[in-house]
Amino acid sequence: MNSLARRPYAGIPRYRTDSPPLGRKSHISFIRTAAALAAALVLAGCASLSPDGGAGDVQALVDGNPLMAGAAAQRKPDDASQKSVDALLTKPLDAEAAVRIALVNSPRVQDAFATLQLSDADRVQAASLPNPVLSFSRLAQGREREFERMLTFNVVGLLTLPWQAHWAGQRHEAAKLQAAQSVLLLAADTRRAWVRAVAAQQSVSYLRDAKEATEAGAELAHRMAKVGNWSALQRTREQLLLADASAQLARAEQAAVASREQLTRLLGLSGTRTAYTLPDRLPPLPKAAPELGDVQALALRDRLDVRSAYAQNTAVAGSLGLTHATSVINAMELGVVRNTTFENDADRSKSTTRGFELELPIPIFDWGQVRNGRAEAQYLQSAARVRDVGVLAASEAREAWQGWNTAYALARRYRDEVLPLRKQVNEEMVLRYNGMLASVWELLGETRASMLAVNAGMEAQRDFWLADTDLQLVLTGSSPGGMTAAQTASAGDAPATGGH
């Protein structure tokens, strides 16, 4: 090779052989190179993007989950889905309909599927061959002209391609589990928001009735004090009761607006669609508490965040082997060279040489200790996260199960004992008032107490349905508060690997 064609390449020696222009060995080398290129094209063609970005696999993971109510998460809303949303909004919105609308219309679902599509693109990219590099140079020295063409291939990238593709596939499986987890979190958040919105609306209704009863008492007290039948102290007490009832009603109305707007945001609604109606009351309690068996075992087996942590740990373990294998030699390039030299003389003669060029780093200063150490630290970090998620899942399962039983027992006590007794007392008070054995003040006081007891029973019913949603999410999806900090950090980690 002419000395003009030598280029500096820091730290990487270049081994090159040139053969005669028309030698037999050059012909054989060309055939082998063409065969290698054909094989590479076939291998690269095996990797392709999923038609739905993995949405079908996510749906399979959440199918049958009690939080989903048979609904399907949709990656891109279309006209048909929007018509179904409009149809659901024409009737009072129950919890199942709210979940269906959220899974079709909420930006959170679209964001989760877009993140999964990015993971799918990373998977395909990792399974694709690195592009060859074509270089061309024109050199001149005196009357001599030299043209060099070289096609370079990343050999290490080719050798580690199956490993990279397998690792990226494992990462994509973990991304599917995380997307399914996001879908279940949205379904659970929507159910909670629906429960709170209906309960707040119901509480406003009861407190409004209590305020009206208090207003009647305050007005009667004012009239009696005016004619001298009541003292100023008695009249002031009734006015205080009215002021307190008005304050409670104002707070309840604000809570109803806030809870309804939270539900609207989760549903992804705007404009005229926000004028939907909610049911008048929450659904009744189940007749009996279901037997779930060992909730810890259920959580460790079925929770998506536990499965996702295991999948991520498996992917990191696979990348650790690749890092060890490429710790010393993590780059190697093989180039096919064709060099033509023109003599600027009367004969216009030229000569052509063919050969190959190998570029290989010399491990003098870096033997891969840093990459190995980083990969091992990431594996230990991933294993610690698996243990953390497992401990969290078992603990939250026990806590949610206890909270569910407590909320169920409290709501049943209000339903079966407190409210029937309060109704009986109210009926007896009416009978005593009709028999002129009780005053109107006693009747009004009993009416206010009954309304407040009904409101407390409704709050106990609300707390039960919130606990029921938390329990279902803890056993099958994730932490009730969403992904843990460890999971969020793990989702963005990229294990240290060599090669590509």
Side-chain angles (χ1 to χ4, degrees):
M1 178 179 176
N2 190 290
S3 60
L4 292 175
R6 297 190 180 276
R7 296 168 297 160
Y9 198 93
I12 299 182
R14 303 171 61 171
Y15 305 96
R16 177 159 172 183
T17 62
D18 293 329
S19 59
L22 300 176
R24 179 177 177 81
K25 291 183 179 181
S26 297
H27 183 66
I28 296 175
S29 176
F30 176 77
I31 294 177
R32 289 177 178 174
T33 303
L37 284 173
L41 290 174
V42 172
L43 182 61
C46 297
S48 60
L49 294 171
S50 300
D52 61 351
D57 295 331
V58 172
Q59 186 61 40
L61 288 170
V62 299
D63 273 343
N65 192 289
L67 293 173
M68 297 292 292
Q74 192 159 341
R75 186 175 57 149
K76 293 180 180 180
D78 52 20
D79 293 339
S81 63
Q82 293 304 314
K83 289 180 181 179
S84 67
V85 168
D86 292 335
L88 291 172
L89 292 174
T90 58
K91 299 176 290 185
L93 197 64
D94 58 14
E96 287 72 20
V99 171
R100 289 191 177 94
I101 293 175
L103 294 179
V104 168
N105 210 48
S106 175
R108 282 174 55 178
V109 172
Q110 299 162 22
D111 178 74
F113 282 126
T115 303
L116 181 61
Q117 192 171 356
L118 290 174
S119 173
D120 189 41
D122 292 339
R123 174 188 64 84
V124 175
Q125 183 66 49
S128 301
L129 286 170
N131 290 325
V133 177
L134 176 64
S135 61
F136 175 82
S137 63
R138 178 184 181 277
L139 306 172
Q141 182 177 3
R143 305 181 56 154
E144 182 180 299
R145 300 293 183 269
E146 182 177 339
F147 296 89
E148 181 181 281
R149 288 85 72 194
M150 182 168 62
L151 191 64
T152 307
F153 300 90
N154 187 342
V155 179
V156 171
L158 178 62
L159 295 177
T160 61
L161 185 64
W163 219 333
Q164 292 276 12
H166 180 66
W167 167 75
Q170 290 176 325
R171 293 283 293 180
H172 187 55
E173 291 302 317
K176 291 178 185 177
L177 290 168
Q178 289 178 352
Q181 183 182 342
S182 298
V183 170
L184 288 184
L185 283 172
L186 174 62
D189 289 344
T190 303
R191 284 182 176 274
R192 293 194 201 100
W194 181 88
V195 169
R196 291 191 179 100
V198 174
Q201 176 182 274
Q202 194 174 353
S203 179
V204 168
S205 177
Y206 281 110
L207 290 176
R208 188 173 288 123
D209 291 340
K211 179 175 178 292
E212 290 177 358
T214 307
E215 283 178 339
E219 177 63 23
L220 183 59
H222 175 71
R223 292 180 181 181
M224 292 185 69
K226 188 175 181 180
V227 297
N229 293 333
W230 261 38
S231 66
L233 176 61
Q234 291 172 311
R235 182 186 64 182
T236 303
R237 285 174 176 170
E238 291 297 322
Q239 290 175 340
L240 284 174
L241 288 175
L242 175 59
D244 183 63
S246 300
Q248 291 186 34
L249 177 60
R251 285 194 292 266
E253 288 174 340
Q254 177 57 36
V257 171
S259 59
R260 182 184 176 92
E261 288 301 326
Q262 182 185 13
L263 176 60
T264 301
R265 290 192 295 270
L266 290 170
L267 297 178
L269 300 177
S270 60
T272 57
R273 283 182 165 184
T274 60
Y276 56 87
T277 58
L278 294 171
D280 295 332
R281 61 186 67 249
L282 292 170
L285 298 175
K287 295 182 179 180
E291 292 293 335
L292 295 180
D294 190 352
V295 293
Q296 291 185 112
L298 288 174
L300 292 174
R301 184 193 67 188
D302 297 337
R303 269 179 63 148
L304 293 177
D305 59 347
V306 175
R307 296 166 61 183
S308 176
Y310 275 112
Q312 289 170 352
N313 186 59
T314 302
V316 173
S319 70
L320 179 61
L322 176 58
T323 303
H324 284 319
T326 60
S327 60
V328 178
I329 304 299
N330 68 340
M332 180 188 298
E333 292 187 358
L334 179 65
V336 180
V337 184
R338 180 184 177 91
N339 187 26
T340 304
T341 303
F342 295 89
E343 297 291 342
N344 193 13
D345 51 15
D347 298 334
R348 307 292 293 179
S349 61
K350 69 175 182 178
S351 62
T352 301
T353 58
R354 302 179 183 87
F356 69 90
E357 180 173 298
L358 180 65
E359 297 180 353
L360 187 69
I362 300 177
I364 297 177
F365 305 108
D366 183 7
W367 285 83
Q369 301 95 328
V370 175
R371 287 190 299 274
N372 286 336
R374 178 178 175 82
E376 290 172 1
Q378 285 184 330
Y379 175 74
L380 294 175
Q381 186 183 53
S382 177
R385 287 169 179 168
V386 171
R387 292 192 298 272
D388 178 52
V389 174
V391 170
L392 178 68
S395 174
E396 286 184 341
R398 296 191 300 269
E399 181 183 359
W401 175 240
Q402 182 62 37
W404 190 96
N405 280 283
T406 302
Y408 183 67
L410 184 60
R412 283 194 63 182
R413 174 156 295 185
Y414 268 97
R415 183 192 66 181
D416 300 338
E417 298 179 22
V418 176
L419 295 182
L421 289 174
R422 177 56 65 181
K423 181 180 179 183
Q424 184 178 353
V425 170
N426 194 53
E427 290 174 351
E428 289 293 330
M429 182 60 67
V430 172
L431 291 176
R432 289 175 62 83
Y433 175 75
N434 291 335
M436 302 183 68
L437 299 176
S439 68
V440 65
W441 307 108
E442 292 175 317
L443 179 61
L444 289 174
E446 183 58 39
T447 300
R448 289 194 297 266
S450 297
M451 291 177 180
L452 293 177
V454 171
N455 189 57
M458 181 271 302
E459 290 178 348
Q461 189 179 10
R462 174 203 63 192
D463 293 341
F464 164 75
W465 287 115
L466 292 176
D468 181 72
T469 300
D470 288 344
L471 178 62
Q472 296 298 337
L473 182 61
V474 161
L475 294 181
T476 61
S478 176
S479 174
M483 289 195 295
T484 64
Q487 292 171 266
T488 304
S490 180
D493 283 349
T497 58
H500 248 336

